[in-house]
Amino acid sequence: MTDFDEMNTQRPRKKVKMPKGGKHVKIAGIVAVGAVLVGVMATDCTYQIQEQEQAVLSTFGVPKAVSETGLHFKIPYIQKVYKVNTTIQGFPIGYEEVTNATISNEGIMITSDYNFIDVDFYVEYRIADPVKYLYTSQQPENILKNISQGCIRTVIASYDVDSVLTTGKSEIQSKIKEMIMQKIEEQDIGIQLVNITIQDSEPPTQDVMKAFKAVETAKQGKETALNNANKYRNEKLPEAEAQADQIIQDAEAQKQVRINEAEAEVAKFNAMYEEYAKNPEITKKRMFYETMEEVLPDMKLIIDDGSGVQKVLPIDSFVEMPESTYSSADTTKNASADISSDASSENEQ
């Protein structure tokens, strides 16, 4: 035994006296600890669900979806609550959302005509089943992104570069969306695709970009020229059709006039033939005189009945004769006498 131990054994021990209020302090501490425990337990017994939010209540590892908003109760330390946001969320593909910087391994793709193109997409989704979202996979958003990238590359590879840049964007978006929805349904990860849109599409280099812009400008010029041509055609075609209708109507009217004239001539000829059949010689002479009047309307004719010496019918333009010698009355009289004599001789025969 050491000297130190001997000193301790020999020194008498003093009794420690408790203060008079010690018991009350101890009771107060116990009460405070109990109050804290009760407050913690009371706080852990309730949880709040906001709008556009759902919760999953897990009891001994068995999940259950809670979609009603408001205050809910749970058993402390036995039940656990996990909340999920059910609003529409999204992520970009091919670029950084904050800096807008291009991500080459996501955005650059190859088309069906073996051209490289840089296409940026934005995917919008929402959590449709919180239980599957939390328990089916650890990173459902990454699964959705990988599915989207695979579908995008598959569809882009089936179109040429011109369609991706200009005319085929709507059709491409529709096909990609349909393909992603089908694959998500097969995976069953509790996520619903809302929409996927092409944010931008352009060639990966500046030279190619300028060439495609020139092609696009030429196409716009082509469309403008076609629109102007169609406008001119729409303006001129009715006018031309109206002119054609007018010409046809005039031709039909002229045709009817000619038909009427021809029918009149036929009727006249038939009437003349009937007269000719009755008195051929008289009809021939009458036709001759009428024809001469039409051919020489301003000339004066002298008809000899055969009793005189003069047999030639003189014309005023060649032989000038005084107007008093032969008047129009005499001419008519001689013509009538000639016709009468011809008729009488024909009857005698």
Side-chain angles (χ1 to χ4, degrees):
M1 183 180 294
T2 61
D3 297 337
F4 182 77
D5 293 333
E6 291 178 354
M7 292 176 63
N8 289 334
T9 55
Q10 295 176 2
R11 181 181 300 174
R13 294 183 178 179
K14 295 182 179 181
K15 293 182 180 181
V16 179
K17 294 182 179 181
M18 294 293 293
K20 294 181 179 180
K23 292 182 179 180
H24 298 287
V25 173
K26 188 175 182 179
I27 294 173
I30 294 172
V31 172
V33 171
V36 171
L37 292 175
V38 171
V40 171
M41 293 182 67
T43 304
D44 196 41
C45 287
T46 61
Y47 62 95
Q48 184 80 18
I49 298 180
Q50 305 294 333
E51 292 184 0
Q52 296 182 342
E53 186 179 55
Q54 290 187 13
V56 175
L57 182 63
S58 176
T59 305
F60 295 111
V62 179
K64 177 184 177 182
V66 181
S67 58
E68 295 83 1
T69 60
L71 184 65
H72 297 268
F73 295 93
K74 71 181 183 66
I75 302 174
Y77 305 109
I78 296 177
Q79 293 180 324
K80 295 182 179 180
V81 177
Y82 304 95
K83 296 180 181 180
V84 294
N85 185 8
T86 57
T87 59
I88 296 177
Q89 306 175 63
F91 56 85
I93 295 178
Y95 68 99
E96 292 286 347
E97 189 171 8
V98 178
T99 61
N100 203 26
T102 301
I103 303 176
S104 300
N105 60 346
E106 293 183 0
I108 296 179
M109 309 172 194
I110 189 170
T111 60
S112 62
D113 52 354
Y114 304 104
N115 284 302
F116 288 98
I117 188 170
D118 185 9
V119 188
D120 297 334
F121 287 85
Y122 192 80
V123 180
E124 294 178 298
Y125 70 94
R126 60 182 295 271
I127 299 173
D129 191 332
V131 176
K132 294 180 180 179
Y133 174 79
L134 293 173
Y135 290 91
T136 302
S137 61
Q138 292 183 351
Q139 296 178 335
E141 284 86 358
N142 289 342
I143 295 176
L144 175 60
K145 187 172 184 178
N146 292 333
I147 292 175
S148 301
Q149 288 180 340
C151 296
I152 288 170
R153 292 185 181 276
T154 301
V155 175
I156 293 293
S158 64
Y159 285 84
D160 56 16
V161 66
D162 190 37
S163 299
V164 179
L165 288 174
T166 56
T167 57
K169 290 183 178 180
S170 298
E171 184 177 351
I172 290 172
Q173 291 177 170
S174 178
K175 286 190 175 182
I176 293 174
K177 182 178 180 180
E178 182 179 356
M179 188 178 296
I180 293 174
M181 291 176 66
Q182 182 179 357
K183 290 187 177 296
I184 287 180
E185 186 177 355
E186 294 175 357
Q187 295 293 329
D188 197 17
I189 56 178
I191 291 180
Q192 178 185 3
L193 179 67
V194 177
N195 196 15
I196 181 169
T197 55
I198 297 177
Q199 299 297 307
D200 192 15
S201 60
E202 59 185 11
T205 61
Q206 293 295 327
D207 294 336
V208 179
M209 189 183 303
K210 290 180 181 179
F212 275 105
K213 286 183 178 179
V215 172
E216 184 65 22
T217 303
K219 286 186 176 180
Q220 292 178 358
K222 173 186 174 182
E223 293 295 331
T224 302
L226 288 175
N227 292 334
N228 292 335
N230 290 330
K231 180 181 178 181
Y232 180 79
R233 181 190 65 180
N234 295 332
E235 291 177 353
K236 295 298 181 181
L237 190 59
E239 182 179 353
E241 290 177 350
Q243 292 179 355
D245 292 339
Q246 184 64 36
I247 292 173
I248 292 173
Q249 292 177 4
D250 293 342
E252 292 291 337
Q254 189 67 23
K255 168 187 172 183
Q256 192 62 37
V257 170
R258 294 294 180 86
I259 291 174
N260 295 336
E261 290 179 353
E263 291 177 351
E265 291 292 332
V266 170
K268 181 179 178 182
F269 179 80
N270 291 333
M272 189 179 296
Y273 178 73
E274 291 176 359
E275 294 296 329
Y276 177 79
K278 295 177 182 178
N279 298 304
E281 193 66 26
I282 296 175
T283 304
K284 284 193 292 183
K285 288 185 178 182
R286 182 170 60 82
M287 292 173 63
F288 172 75
Y289 296 148
E290 290 176 354
T291 303
M292 293 304 295
E293 289 178 356
E294 292 178 0
V295 174
L296 304 172
D298 297 331
M299 298 299 176
K300 292 183 179 181
L301 302 179
I302 300 175
I303 302 173
D304 190 2
D305 59 357
S307 60
V309 179
Q310 189 175 6
K311 298 297 184 182
V312 181
L313 300 177
I315 301 176
D316 289 348
S317 60
F318 295 148
V319 179
E320 293 184 1
M321 300 181 66
E323 295 181 0
S324 60
T325 304
Y326 298 98
S327 63
S328 59
D330 295 334
T331 303
T332 306
K333 181 179 180 181
N334 294 332
S336 301
D338 192 9
I339 294 174
S340 299
S341 61
D342 292 338
S344 59
S345 63
E346 183 177 355
N347 292 329
E348 291 176 358
Q349 293 175 357

